[in-house]
Amino acid sequence: MDLSDIAKKLGLSESKHLIRKAAELRRLCDVQFNSSIIGVGEICKAIICLEIAATRFQVIFDRQKAIRMSGMSEKAYNRSFNSLQNGLGVKNKLDIRELGIQFGCVRLIPFVQKGLSLYKDRFLSSLPASRRASADFTRPVFTAVAFYLCAKRHKLKVDKIKLIELCGTSESEFSSVSTSMKDLCFDVFGISKEKKDPRDVKANRELLDALPDKRTLQDGGYLSDDGKELSCYKKRKRMEKLDYEEWKSTVLASNNSKAKDFPRKQARLNFVKEVPETQEVEAL
C-alpha cells in the first residue's frame, strides 16, 4: 500500500509536508536496518513513520485508528513504535511545563525540575570522572519518569502508558529509570511505606476501639514485645488466659462479698444419748 493512501485513510492527505517527512523516515529506515527483524511489517512501518512525522509537525494523529489499520494489538504496536523510533535515532522533546498543562498537574512543575536537577548531580557524582562527559540526560524518558514519580508521590493520577508513548520508550526502560531515580533520590521521588503508630494519631482512636484485634498490647491488643503480630494459636491462648483471670477474679470477689454479708458462726452440736430399753424379765 502506498504511503499517500495510508495517509489518506488516516486523514492526513492534506499535509503534504508530513507525507514527505514520513517517506524520508521510511527510506532512512530501509537503509539503516531491516525492520522485519524487529517484527515490523511494511504497512506498520509506514504507519509508524507517519506518526513520527505527525509528532514532529505537531499534527493530530489518531493512534487508535492507526493500530486497527496495522492489524496489531495496542501493546505490540507500542513496542514496534518504540523499537523503530530508537532505531532511527529520533528523539522526542518533552517539556515539563507542557506535561503539567497536558495532565492538569501544573503544581508539580517545580518539584519535577528540582528532582531532575538533584538526580543528575547525584548520578554524575556516582560515575568515574572518565564517564561523566558521556552521560546523556537529554532523553525524554528522564523527564517522563520524574514527572510520573512526582505525581505518584503527591497522589495525583497520571496515565503511565500515555507518558511512555510520549517519550517514545519501552516499559522496561521506563521501569529501569524509575528504579534508578528512586534509589538515588528517594527523598524526592520515593514513597514512604512505613506505617504510623495508630496511638499517635488521634483520629484513629475510634478505629482502635471498633477493631480490638488491631490494637497494640498496651491498648488491649495482641502484639508481642518486639512489635510483631502473634500467631492465631498464641492469640487464642492469651484470650483463654485473660478469660480465666477475669472469671477467677469475679468468683473471688463474689465469695468475698458473701463472706462479708453472711458471717460464719460456729454451730453448737448437741448429741442426745440414747438409752437402751430395759426388758422386764417375767418371773417364771
Side-chain angles (χ1 to χ4, degrees), residues 39 172 266:
S172 59
Q266 183 66 35

Side-chain angles (χ1 to χ4, degrees), residues 64-201:
Q64 296 300 322
K65 189 175 181 179
I67 292 173
R68 290 193 297 270
M69 283 186 61
S70 67
M72 306 173 69
S73 64
E74 185 174 359
K75 188 174 182 180
Y77 180 86
N78 293 336
R79 183 170 59 249
S80 300
F81 179 86
N82 294 329
S83 301
L84 192 61
Q85 186 175 238
N86 293 333
L88 291 172
V90 180
K91 294 182 179 180
N92 293 335
K93 293 183 179 180
L94 283 184
D95 185 73
I96 300 175
R97 295 184 181 275
E98 292 180 0
L99 286 177
I101 295 172
Q102 184 175 355
F103 288 95
C105 305
V106 180
R107 66 187 182 93
L108 291 179
I109 294 174
F111 298 103
V112 178
Q113 292 173 340
K114 177 184 176 181
L116 274 176
S117 177
L118 186 63
Y119 174 73
K120 292 176 183 178
D121 294 340
R122 293 182 181 179
F123 189 87
L124 289 175
S125 62
S126 64
L127 293 176
S130 58
R131 295 182 57 189
R132 292 177 184 174
S134 60
D136 182 18
F137 295 99
T138 59
R139 297 185 59 195
V141 63
F142 294 101
T143 305
V145 172
F147 185 83
Y148 174 75
L149 292 179
C150 283
K152 194 174 181 180
R153 182 181 178 90
H154 289 81
K155 299 180 179 180
L156 298 175
K157 291 184 178 181
V158 172
D159 191 348
K160 181 180 177 181
I161 303 299
K162 190 174 183 179
L163 270 177
I164 293 175
E165 293 176 359
L166 288 174
C167 65
T169 185
S170 60
E171 293 185 11
S172 59
E173 186 180 19
F174 191 92
S175 300
S176 177
V177 176
S178 176
T179 303
S180 175
M181 283 191 174
K182 286 189 288 186
D183 289 342
L184 290 178
C185 304
F186 187 82
D187 52 337
V188 179
F189 298 120
I191 300 175
S192 178
K193 294 183 179 180
E194 297 178 0
K195 295 181 180 180
K196 295 182 179 180
D197 190 350
R199 289 174 296 168
D200 298 335
V201 183

Side-chain angles (χ1 to χ4, degrees), residues 267-278:
R268 180 177 296 178
L269 301 177
N270 295 324
F271 296 97
V272 179
K273 187 176 181 181
E274 296 183 356
V275 179
E277 295 181 356
T278 57

Side-chain angles (χ1 to χ4, degrees), residues 1-9 19 26 43 46 50 69:
M1 187 180 292
D2 188 60
L3 190 63
S4 58
D5 294 336
I6 298 175
K8 185 177 181 180
K9 290 186 176 182
I19 297 175
R26 189 177 186 180
I43 296 178
L50 282 170
M69 283 186 61

Side-chain angles (χ1 to χ4, degrees), residues 221-268:
Y222 320 113
L223 295 184
S224 58
D225 295 336
D226 57 356
K228 298 180 180 179
E229 292 187 3
L230 296 175
S231 63
C232 295
Y233 174 77
K234 291 184 178 180
K235 287 180 181 179
R236 184 170 58 82
K237 286 296 183 181
R238 177 164 290 179
M239 284 297 300
E240 290 178 356
K241 185 177 180 180
L242 291 175
D243 291 341
Y244 170 75
E245 294 295 336
E246 184 179 358
W247 171 81
K248 182 179 178 181
S249 60
T250 303
V251 172
L252 291 176
S254 176
N255 292 338
N256 291 334
S257 61
K258 289 181 179 180
K260 292 179 180 179
D261 296 339
F262 304 99
R264 296 180 180 179
K265 294 182 179 181
Q266 183 66 35
R268 180 177 296 178

